[in-house]
Amino acid sequence: MNALIIFGLLTVLMITGMPVSISLGLTVLSFLFFLTDVPVEAVALKLFTGIEKFEIMAIPFFILAGNFLTHGGVAKRMIRFATSLVGHWPGGLGLGAVVACALFAAISGSSPATVVAVGSILIPAMVKAGYPVRFGAGVVAASGGLGILIPPSIVMVMYAVSTNSSIGALFMAGVIPGLVLAAMLMFTTWYRARSKGYPKERRAPWGERWTAFRESIWGLALIIVVMGGIYSGIFTPTEAAAMSAVYAFIVAVFVYKDLKLKDVPKTLLASANMSAMLLYIITNAILFSFLLTHENIPQAISEWLLASGLGKIGFLLAVNVLLLVMGNFMEPSSIILITAPILFPIAMKLGIDPIHFGVMITVNMEIGMITPPVGLNLYVASGISKLGLSEMTVAVWPWLLTMLVFLALVTYWPPLSIWLPQALGMM
């Protein structure tokens, strides 16, 4: 009964159009005040201790690094390098968009930031080259999802904070699935371009490719700084985030010089706004998790599911369906912070690896970024391409189907996710 009251109240508040973070906080306060004897002081204490985690500091640093890189000329150099490698194949600019998104994902940690950085350059370029605008917008919106699967990933940090999992192991677990998904998206792009007769670029000579690589090396080196530093133990994921922010600032302002010093305060303010929004959601979600735990709701749901005979395969299928539906209406951070405290204990009792489970959830969040009506990537790509939301929904469907096939692969073949962290001795 308590579970019905809590989730019913949360649903009603969200239906009214109230922001998710406020809906979570108001649900907690209302329930605790009217239906329990928990003192209000405990809520204040939980608000403070909930975000007093070293790992959470990684989020604002990765956001800041992504903003420096987006506005600092790193993206356009990566795009030039990517298109020099694959531009001569059918749909060359579309293939270049996938490769560029994969490269930018490895330094930004954010899906919408990846779409902005790559899409603002390549979507107009594709239209100018004779591609349909739907094709360009669709491939960029879908490929931008790599921003939260290929490490570093803000969504993975959220999952790790919610479940006390290893951020480093999660980051490493996202590498191979990210590369596999990038290859699948490239195949879909190539197949559609070849069947529709879309144009291709001239084959770039090796000298031009070397020049493009040399120009983009400062941005690509950040991948080594972050992942190499974490694996070698030189610094923790949170320290890696801070290093990436400082490195991105130096590259954008002093190396490429595309970001002027006078524009740095604007970038800092934009990063602070985004960080504050996410931290406010985290704070209220931690409160919500505290309420669920206080009422023993995760334990009750876990016992009910185990008693009903739902096995590992059935549970994973049910989780995927639940997360895909929620992805239509909520953004990834809120979904993870609400569902992880409930689903994680059940997954552990069924013997599901926590790192594999985290990667599977991340892929679900990735798909949610391109499903209406709340898919953030759809809105970002729509703003760049000037297509309506309904047109964008049609534009992404070939890549959406590809991602659903990939989700099934990740869900039921755990070695795809956990082989690399196990090989590196991180699990």
Side-chain angles (χ1 to χ4, degrees):
M1 180 57 71
N2 284 348
L4 289 175
I5 293 172
I6 291 169
F7 287 107
L9 181 56
L10 178 63
T11 303
V12 169
L13 291 174
M14 289 173 59
I15 289 174
T16 63
M18 190 177 291
V20 174
S21 54
I22 298 175
S23 299
L24 288 169
L26 202 53
T27 300
V28 173
L29 290 173
S30 300
F31 188 89
L32 291 178
F33 188 76
F34 292 110
L35 297 173
T36 71
D37 296 324
V38 176
V40 179
E41 290 82 359
V43 176
L45 182 63
K46 193 64 185 176
L47 278 171
F48 180 76
T49 57
I51 59 170
E52 196 183 22
K53 292 184 178 179
F54 184 62
E55 295 84 356
I56 291 180
M57 289 176 61
I59 295 170
F61 283 127
F62 278 132
I63 290 172
L64 180 59
N67 279 339
F68 278 136
L69 295 167
T70 302
H71 301 104
V74 176
K76 69 181 181 183
R77 290 170 175 84
M78 284 188 168
I79 289 168
R80 193 178 303 134
F81 174 56
T83 52
S84 72
L85 294 177
V86 296
H88 57 283
W89 293 338
L93 286 181
L95 294 171
V98 180
V99 175
C101 283
L103 291 174
F104 197 80
I107 60 175
S108 74
S110 166
S111 187
T114 303
V115 176
V116 169
V118 176
S120 58
I121 297 172
L122 271 182
I123 291 177
M126 279 193 262
V127 173
K128 187 177 180 181
Y131 293 84
V133 66
R134 280 188 178 183
F135 178 83
V139 68
V140 170
S143 302
L146 292 168
I148 59 173
L149 179 59
I150 295 177
S153 165
I154 294 172
V155 168
M156 286 183 176
V157 174
M158 295 279 196
Y159 172 84
V161 168
S162 301
T163 61
N164 290 319
S165 301
S166 166
I167 297 178
L170 269 171
F171 279 5
M172 291 301 172
V175 172
I176 293 178
L179 295 175
V180 171
L181 178 57
M184 291 174 68
L185 293 173
M186 286 181 71
F187 175 78
T188 303
T189 304
W190 170 82
Y191 180 80
R192 282 188 63 79
R194 194 187 68 159
S195 61
K196 301 282 185 180
Y198 294 156
K200 55 185 177 181
E201 305 297 295
R202 65 175 181 82
R203 180 186 289 271
W206 283 105
E208 186 177 319
R209 292 177 182 179
W210 171 249
T211 301
F213 171 73
R214 200 173 64 235
E215 289 177 352
S216 62
I217 190 66
W218 286 100
L220 296 173
L222 185 55
I223 302 171
I224 300 170
V225 170
V226 174
M227 302 308 295
I230 293 173
Y231 169 61
S232 64
I234 295 174
F235 37 66
T236 66
T238 303
E239 292 164 346
M243 279 291 298
S244 68
V246 174
Y247 182 92
F249 168 74
I250 294 171
V251 170
V253 176
F254 299 110
V255 179
Y256 290 149
K257 299 179 181 177
D258 285 7
L259 184 68
K260 306 301 179 187
L261 275 172
K262 65 178 182 180
D263 296 325
V264 170
K266 190 190 301 181
T267 305
L268 292 172
L269 184 60
S271 303
N273 284 336
M274 177 63 74
S275 301
M277 181 189 75
L278 284 177
L279 290 173
Y280 187 62
I281 293 173
I282 291 171
T283 303
N284 284 287
I286 288 171
L287 266 186
F288 189 72
S289 174
F290 163 72
L291 175 61
L292 294 179
T293 306
H294 182 267
E295 297 299 317
N296 291 319
I297 290 172
Q299 295 89 328
I301 294 175
S302 174
E303 290 170 5
W304 175 74
L305 283 174
L306 293 172
S308 66
L310 187 67
K312 186 186 295 187
I313 293 175
F315 171 72
L316 291 174
L317 178 61
V319 169
N320 280 332
V321 171
L322 172 67
L323 294 177
L324 289 173
V325 171
M326 292 183 73
N328 288 326
F329 304 102
M330 297 170 66
E331 53 88 34
S333 303
S334 304
I335 297 174
I336 288 178
L337 292 166
I338 292 172
T339 59
I342 300 172
L343 300 175
F344 185 77
I346 306 171
M348 295 306 97
K349 284 190 176 180
L350 289 171
I352 298 168
D353 185 272
I355 302 301
H356 164 232
F357 194 58
V359 173
M360 187 195 85
I361 288 180
T362 302
V363 174
N364 274 285
M365 300 302 97
E366 198 174 17
I367 294 172
M369 301 293 272
I370 58 169
T371 53
V374 187
L376 291 177
N377 287 6
L378 291 183
Y379 284 99
V380 175
S382 172
I384 298 169
S385 64
K386 303 297 186 273
L387 290 175
L389 186 61
S390 57
E391 290 179 293
M392 277 302 310
T393 305
V394 173
V396 299
W397 77 263
W399 295 275
L400 177 60
L401 292 178
T402 303
M403 292 169 83
L404 289 171
V405 171
F406 175 71
L407 174 62
L409 182 65
V410 165
T411 301
Y412 294 112
W413 190 36
L416 182 66
S417 308
I418 62 176
W419 176 83
L420 183 58
Q422 283 181 338
L424 295 175
M426 302 180 76
M427 293 177 60

